[in-house]
């Protein structure tokens, strides 16, 4: 076994989208390592249940921030309100994100596009900006963004979702340049198809369509992505994973279709 496993355990981890499948899996793994957790989500009751669960199972300290990630004022207020013992965040996991719809661009709902940009991009840059100042000052920290293979390979109906994830990748890489000299790490984790609530959200409750995405195959799940996150976050501080693209073995790339004429 690589002897530097868990060479660095983040003391305070902030996770957005904490009550989603990815968020919960990440929270459990860092709680098991003894990290204190700041849990961000929209639903106060779900946050409180998760918090109770983590405290009970791992005896860790948690702080809950319930607000709509699209609400800038609420985000600023929530971060300002973090108790002193949770303030020096050394790992920010920008996990909140979603896909809405899979229609051709010319048929998409404009509001769906705006929501994806608001959550996947606007909220992510705001959260990052609010946290990196302290990290740079303390010369310690790590930002892990949840990108997607969709940011690397477009697919039909991916339109704005793919574009938001391409933004996340390029923003992550740009941050690396700006943060050089601060010791702050930045990682973009780029999962492919992972069996979670993702498709239920994308297809707005059409469970038959959502289930079909993961039917009759060997899926990856949120715990697999948590493994990648924990690995990246617990490496020695001199070791930065810039990007990690992950797919289940059963998935590969879209054919590049050619239009044919009669
Ligand atoms: C999720 C992966 O392939 O559904 O980010 O776009 S995919």
């Amino acid at each position: 076994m690589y002897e530097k496993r868990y060479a660095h355990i983040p003391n305070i981890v902030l996770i957005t989208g904490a009550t989603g499948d990815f968020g919960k899996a990440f929270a459990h793994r860092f709680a098991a390592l003894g990290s204190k957790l700041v849990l961000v989500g929209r639903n106060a009751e779900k946050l409180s249940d998760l918090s109770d669960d983590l405290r009970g199972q791992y005896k860790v300290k948690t702080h809950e921030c319930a607000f709509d990630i699209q609400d800038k004022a609420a985000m600023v207020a929530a971060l300002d309100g973090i108790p002193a013992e949770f303030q020096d965040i050394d790992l920010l996991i920008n996990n909140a994100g979603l896909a809405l719809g899979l229609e051709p661009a010319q048929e998409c709902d404009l509001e769906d596009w705006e929501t994806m940009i608001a959550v996947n991009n606007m909220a992510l840059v705001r959260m990052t900006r609010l946290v990196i100042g302290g990290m740079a000052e303390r010369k310690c920290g790590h930002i892990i963004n949840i990108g997607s293979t969709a940011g690397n390979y477009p697919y039909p109906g991916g339109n704005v979702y793919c574009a938001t994830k391409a933004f996340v990748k390029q923003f992550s890489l740009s941050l690396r340049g700006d943060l050089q000299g601060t010791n702050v790490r930045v990682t973009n984790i780029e999962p492919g198809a992972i069996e979670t609530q993702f498709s239920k959200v994308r297809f707005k409750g059409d469970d038959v369509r959502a289930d079909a995405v993961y039917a009759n195959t060997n899926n990856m799940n949120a715990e697999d992505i948590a493994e990648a996150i924990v690995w990246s976050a617990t490496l020695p501080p001199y070791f930065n994973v810039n990007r990690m693209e992950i797919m289940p073995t059963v998935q590969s790339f879209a054919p590049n279709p050619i239009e044919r004429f009669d």
Side-chain angles (χ1 to χ4, degrees):
M1 194 178 184
Y2 182 50
E3 62 182 18
K4 290 178 179 168
R5 177 89 169 155
Y6 305 136
H8 167 86
I9 294 182
N11 185 29
I12 302 167
V13 180
L14 186 152
I15 305 172
T16 68
T19 63
D21 292 328
F22 275 4
K24 274 193 279 190
F26 306 160
H28 277 270
R29 288 294 303 271
F30 285 104
L33 291 174
S35 304
K36 291 196 266 188
L37 293 160
V38 181
L39 304 166
V40 172
R42 195 170 34 174
N43 184 317
E45 206 180 317
K46 283 189 187 172
L47 274 179
S48 162
D49 289 349
L50 174 63
S51 209
D52 290 347
D53 198 13
L54 296 168
R55 286 186 189 143
Q57 273 195 59
Y58 309 101
K59 314 290 169 221
V60 287
K61 293 189 174 173
T62 61
H63 174 71
E64 297 137 48
C65 294
F67 64 92
D68 180 349
I69 198 96
Q70 297 181 58
D71 183 338
K72 182 179 177 184
M75 182 188 289
V76 171
L79 289 185
D80 281 350
I82 293 177
E85 65 165 320
F86 290 91
Q87 261 171 21
D88 291 347
I89 294 155
D90 46 17
L91 172 60
L92 164 63
I93 307 180
N94 278 315
N95 165 61
L98 79 172
L100 291 170
L102 194 63
E103 286 72 44
Q106 61 276 23
E107 293 167 21
C108 283
D109 181 340
L110 181 54
E111 276 187 19
D112 285 350
W113 282 8
E114 290 170 353
T115 303
M116 287 189 276
I117 294 168
V119 176
N120 300 0
N121 297 151
M122 187 59 86
L124 181 143
V125 299
R126 284 177 181 153
M127 186 62 78
T128 302
R129 182 62 192 91
L130 292 169
V131 169
I132 50 172
M135 288 183 174
E137 221 173 271
R138 294 188 296 277
K139 293 211 174 296
C140 161
H142 194 168
I143 296 156
I144 298 186
N145 291 327
I146 304 302
S148 169
T149 51
N152 304 332
Y153 316 106
Y155 54 82
N159 46 67
V160 168
Y161 178 68
C162 293
T164 63
K165 293 300 182 173
F167 176 101
V168 172
K169 172 175 66 179
Q170 204 61 12
F171 181 56
S172 305
L173 295 176
S174 299
L175 282 173
R176 287 274 295 124
D178 292 344
L179 290 165
Q180 190 169 23
T182 66
N183 276 331
V184 176
R185 300 192 275 190
V186 185
T187 300
N188 196 41
I189 302 285
E190 302 164 7
I194 313 293
E195 188 176 10
T196 60
Q197 298 294 309
F198 176 85
S199 292
K200 287 205 187 340
V201 173
R202 166 169 259 173
F203 298 125
K204 304 172 182 174
D206 182 342
D207 288 358
V208 175
R209 203 171 167 200
D211 291 345
V213 176
Y214 312 110
N216 303 326
T217 193
N218 292 328
N219 290 304
M220 292 182 72
N221 57 40
E223 282 73 33
D224 296 314
I225 301 307
E227 175 65 18
I229 301 264
V230 168
W231 181 71
S232 307
T234 57
L235 290 164
Y238 61 76
F239 187 152
N240 190 93
V241 178
N242 295 337
R243 297 174 46 213
M244 194 191 306
E245 184 185 283
I246 302 165
M247 276 181 179
T249 310
V250 292
Q251 187 179 30
S252 62
F253 310 101
N256 293 340
I258 297 175
E259 186 182 359
R260 310 277 173 192
F261 307 105
D262 292 333

